[in-house]
Amino acid sequence: ELDELGTDVLPRRTPAPAWLPTAKGEEGEFCLRSSDCGAGLCCARHFWSKICKPVLREGQVCTRHRRKGAHGLEIFQRCQCAEGLACRLQRPQGPADASRLHTCQR
């Protein structure tokens, strides 16, 4: 059937923009969503574009948002904590008000 119709009736694909990666992106490469990035990476804003950044490991500083949707306001986003970790207030090790940092913890 297809031979009789010829290739003219087949839909043509629109080529992807040159800047869009064809394989899973590596750290620092441009992306549109986390599925564009390789394993252990997420797609996060860096200035006015988005790049693949590493998912946070235990002990690394993370961002805890108080308001839903606040993540979109940052120009330097961090990835979420890796699976099995949560972004929690860092346990005090010095004076009571020394740090308000959140870190990825079990």
Side-chain angles (χ1 to χ4, degrees):
E1 273 180 30
L2 218 51
D3 291 337
E4 293 173 12
L5 297 173
T7 57
D8 292 339
V9 295
L10 295 175
R12 295 181 188 220
R13 290 187 180 179
T14 304
W19 60 267
L20 192 64
T22 55
K24 295 287 185 180
E26 295 180 22
E27 187 173 344
E29 291 184 337
F30 291 106
C31 57
L32 294 176
R33 60 192 65 83
S34 291
S35 60
D36 296 336
C37 300
L41 302 172
C42 82
C43 188
R45 188 170 293 110
H46 189 81
F47 285 114
W48 293 273
S49 60
K50 294 175 92 175
I51 62 171
C52 296
K53 295 183 179 185
V55 171
L56 301 175
R57 298 185 309 264
E58 189 169 10
Q60 289 186 307
V61 174
C62 54
T63 304
R64 179 106 186 233
H65 300 287
R66 293 185 180 148
R67 292 187 331 263
K68 189 174 183 175
H71 196 64
L73 302 175
E74 299 173 295
I75 61 169
F76 294 107
Q77 289 177 332
R78 291 185 175 109
C79 288
Q80 68 283 359
C81 296
E83 195 170 322
L85 301 176
C87 188
R88 296 190 181 116
L89 189 62
Q90 188 172 355
R91 294 179 184 104
Q93 296 175 352
D97 60 344
S99 175
R100 287 237 175 255
L101 287 178
H102 287 77
T103 56
C104 294
Q105 303 172 29
R106 293 199 182 277

